[in-house]
Amino acid sequence: NAGVMQNPRHLVRRRGQEARLRCSPMKGHSHVYWYRQLPEEGLKFMVYLQKENIIDESGMPKERFSAEFPKEGPSILRIQQVVRGDSAAYFCASSPPEVSGPTDTQYFGPGTRLTVL
Amino acid sequence: DAKTTQPNSMESNEEEPVHLPCNHSTISGTDYIHWYRQLPSQGPEYVIHGLTSNVNNRMASLAIAEDRKSSTLILHRATLRDAAVYYCILSLGGGADGLTFGKGTHLIIQP
């Protein structure tokens, strides 16, 4: 059973470009979460999604950031017009549907390390 | 959200038990206590969670105080691979929420 997959693992962008980060949850998981870890800092929650729905985006920056989890395919975190301050590790996590038990145990992917030049 | 307090760092010797404390004096009756760890350059990894009773799994044990205002993660026999940042997190059981990570405890294992 494959774990949470994220790609790319490393992404380099120049200021002003767009960054697209992809996350495939574990098989059977319908909840996806995105977190950001700035250098030398802790992880910060960004957004929580279920299929085709954003449930909680309280941690998302108000501008340039968006997330989706379509009916088919991976979840996408999109950062438009990147700036140097967006350089960070972005982690995706998934959890199973509520009927399977406590839903707050999250399984994390290896992360995408974004570098903005 | 209820807050947790952990020591910034702890050091232990290889093959000895490690007790990582966490204070959560404002915990509510429905908050679960979760522990995750993050090894260098990796994503966080679930370790264990509990509500009221002590819990054991293949990775660790979780001892929860009777008043639930504190808990201790116990690694019975630390190895070098256990060197990581350990996070104690409270979350509302029965609902899926974003986790609130604090600074955690940086565990250093000496050979």
Side-chain angles (χ1 to χ4, degrees), chain B residues 24 27 33 51-54 63-72:
Chain B
H24 29 78
I27 190 170
I33 302 159
L51 185 61
T52 56
S53 304
N54 294 345
I64 301 173
E66 199 169 326
D67 63 4
R68 300 208 330 124
K69 293 184 186 298
S70 65
S71 61
T72 302

Side-chain angles (χ1 to χ4, degrees), chain A residues 33 35 37 48 103-104 106 108, chain B residues 36 38 91-92 96-97 99:
Chain A
Y33 312 79
Y35 295 81
Q37 188 169 34
Y48 158 39
T103 58
D104 18 25
Q106 297 181 15
F108 284 79
Chain B
Y36 285 77
Q38 186 174 22
S91 71
L92 189 63
D97 299 309
L99 298 173

Side-chain angles (χ1 to χ4, degrees), chain A residues 7 65 88:
Chain A
N7 65 82
F65 285 71

Side-chain angles (χ1 to χ4, degrees), chain B residues 18-19 33 35 46-64 72-77:
Chain B
V18 179
H19 291 234
I33 302 159
W35 284 82
Y46 166 78
V47 178
I48 200 166
H49 77 280
L51 185 61
T52 56
S53 304
N54 294 345
V55 183
N56 299 298
N57 66 21
R58 64 173 180 83
M59 288 181 72
S61 295
L62 177 60
I64 301 173
T72 302
L73 179 71
I74 302 164
L75 307 179
H76 294 285
R77 199 161 163 265

Side-chain angles (χ1 to χ4, degrees), chain A residues 6-12 111-115:
Chain A
Q6 291 188 247
N7 65 82
R9 296 289 306 276
H10 299 272
L11 181 61
V12 179
T112 293
R113 278 146 185 86
L114 172 65
T115 301

Side-chain angles (χ1 to χ4, degrees), chain A:
Chain A
N1 187 12
V4 177
M5 299 176 69
Q6 291 188 247
N7 65 82
R9 296 289 306 276
H10 299 272
L11 181 61
V12 179
R13 285 287 178 267
R14 297 190 180 279
R15 280 179 297 170
Q17 291 184 320
E18 179 179 287
R20 279 185 179 236
L21 288 62
R22 286 176 291 277
C23 169
S24 296
M26 285 180 71
K27 188 176 180 181
H29 285 194
S30 56
H31 301 224
V32 165
Y33 312 79
W34 286 93
Y35 295 81
R36 177 167 67 174
Q37 188 169 34
L38 294 167
E40 306 303 323
E41 293 191 17
L43 289 101
K44 302 293 184 192
F45 165 73
M46 299 179 76
V47 62
Y48 158 39
L49 310 104
Q50 294 180 20
K51 286 282 187 182
E52 301 184 282
N53 283 307
I54 295 174
I55 307 302
D56 179 1
E57 56 181 348
S58 58
M60 285 281 269
K62 295 286 184 271
E63 298 176 347
R64 302 187 297 107
F65 285 71
S66 62
E68 63 176 11
F69 188 16
K71 189 176 179 182
E72 302 290 338
S75 175
I76 306 285
L77 180 67
R78 183 181 175 208
I79 311 172
Q80 295 178 291
Q81 298 176 316
V82 296
V83 300
R84 287 218 175 103
D86 297 332
S87 295
Y90 291 83
F91 294 97
C92 166
S94 71
S95 66
E98 293 173 31
V99 295
S100 301
T103 58
D104 18 25
T105 298
Q106 297 181 15
Y107 299 86
F108 284 79
T112 293
R113 278 146 185 86
L114 172 65
T115 301
V116 179
L117 301 177

